[in-house]
Amino acid sequence: PPPYTGVWMGDSKLCAIGVHCGNHITSHGLALNCCTDLSWFEHIVPCGLEGKGVTSLSRELGQHVAVSSVLEPFLDSFQEVFECSLVSPEEPG
């Protein structure tokens, strides 16, 4: 929920989005919780947000959701939304 970044299901974060700037380098990324062991989040304050939780696609859908089943539809949607083409690096050798 605004003003928080990421993708939320109620008061629980499903996907974290981050940007880091330092030493003249900017990096960014995201973490979409598919089948994450959420018990680790019981030991921290996720993203420094008191009173907010973390969830996963598996928890929300009530079934195991593997990263491999999410990757292709996610990348397809990313290309559509950002009007770009993603290129995979060539395999070594």
Side-chain angles (χ1 to χ4, degrees):
Y4 306 122
T5 61
V7 177
W8 292 80
M9 299 287 298
D11 278 340
S12 295
K13 188 177 264 194
L14 177 65
C15 179
I17 301 169
V19 176
H20 177 264
C21 301
N23 297 323
H24 307 289
I25 297 172
T26 302
S27 57
H28 56 277
L30 62 87
L32 175 61
N33 296 326
C34 295
C35 52
T36 307
D37 177 357
L38 299 173
S39 67
W40 293 101
F41 292 103
E42 296 170 11
H43 306 284
I44 64 170
V45 178
C47 301
L49 301 173
E50 292 281 346
K52 303 295 181 192
V54 177
T55 192
S56 67
L57 289 173
S58 293
R59 176 182 280 174
E60 296 300 322
L61 296 174
Q63 64 184 24
H64 180 77
V65 178
V67 172
S68 59
S69 67
V70 173
L71 189 57
E72 188 174 341
F74 174 82
L75 295 175
D76 289 345
S77 295
F78 186 96
Q79 291 179 104
E80 183 179 330
V81 168
F82 292 102
E83 298 178 355
C84 67
S85 295
L86 300 176
V87 179
S88 297
E90 292 184 33
E91 302 244 348

